[in-house]
Amino acid sequence: MRKILALATVALLTLGTGLGIAQAADKPHKAVYHLNSKEIDTQKDVLRNSQNHINAIGKDKLDLRIVMHAAGINVLKTAMTDVEVKSQIDNLKLQGVKFVVCKVTLDRNKIDYKKDLYDVSEKDLVPSGVAEIALLQEKGFGYVKP
């Protein structure tokens, strides 16, 4: 009898967990990915994780931002010459992902976003990457740090 009760409890908990995920997916979902790593593998992980996030939630139900500062903006430098990274960025943008660049990083490193970074315009710039992350969290964005 205990085994049957235990199995029934596990089944109910599993069903409840599945319903929770389905219900959460019905609500607008907001996430901010924090990218400041100098490691290209980590930068590529952020792109891949972002696509996985879209696949799980659905592009129409997701407001996803990738906020880059410090060495994290190098993924946009890499995209200038790496066709695979460029393609991933283009595909994410087509699905509504916003790439946000820290102006402090650009100024400190004397980077001209128009010629040194892939597909960045003035509307993509924020005064401070870390401040933008905090502001987005205040607006209900979940924080993700791959």
Side-chain angles (χ1 to χ4, degrees):
M1 183 68 167
R2 287 184 188 188
K3 287 183 182 178
I4 293 172
L5 186 56
L7 288 173
T9 302
V10 169
L12 286 173
L13 288 173
T14 302
L15 179 62
T17 302
L19 289 175
I21 292 170
Q23 289 171 346
D26 288 339
K27 296 180 180 178
H29 185 79
K30 302 183 286 186
V32 56
Y33 279 65
H34 181 182
L35 180 54
N36 66 337
S37 174
K38 66 181 177 181
E39 302 297 326
I40 187 62
D41 289 341
T42 301
Q43 295 169 8
K44 288 180 178 181
D45 285 346
V46 168
L47 301 177
R48 186 175 55 256
N49 290 340
S50 297
Q51 185 59 59
N52 292 342
H53 202 147
I54 293 166
N55 294 346
I57 302 296
K59 69 178 183 177
D60 297 331
K61 296 179 183 176
L62 179 61
D63 184 353
L64 195 149
R65 318 280 174 95
I66 299 174
V67 176
M68 296 164 282
H69 69 96
I73 68 166
N74 289 339
V75 72
L76 298 172
K77 287 183 179 181
T78 300
M80 297 289 282
T81 57
D82 186 319
V83 175
E84 180 184 344
V85 172
K86 177 184 175 184
S87 176
Q88 287 177 298
I89 290 170
D90 288 341
N91 188 44
L92 289 169
K93 285 185 175 190
L94 286 172
Q95 296 175 88
V97 175
K98 293 176 182 73
F99 287 74
V100 181
V101 178
C102 173
K103 191 154 179 351
V104 169
T105 298
L106 298 178
D107 293 343
R108 281 191 182 156
N109 295 288
K110 297 179 176 48
I111 297 170
D112 180 347
Y113 69 89
K114 292 177 184 174
K115 69 176 187 171
D116 297 331
L117 302 178
Y118 177 68
D119 196 28
V120 176
S121 69
E122 191 170 345
K123 68 176 177 50
D124 301 318
L125 305 180
V126 293
S128 165
V130 293
E132 182 70 9
I133 290 167
L135 290 169
L136 289 170
Q137 286 180 292
E138 289 173 7
K139 293 178 181 179
F141 280 72
Y143 175 82
V144 182
K145 177 72 169 147

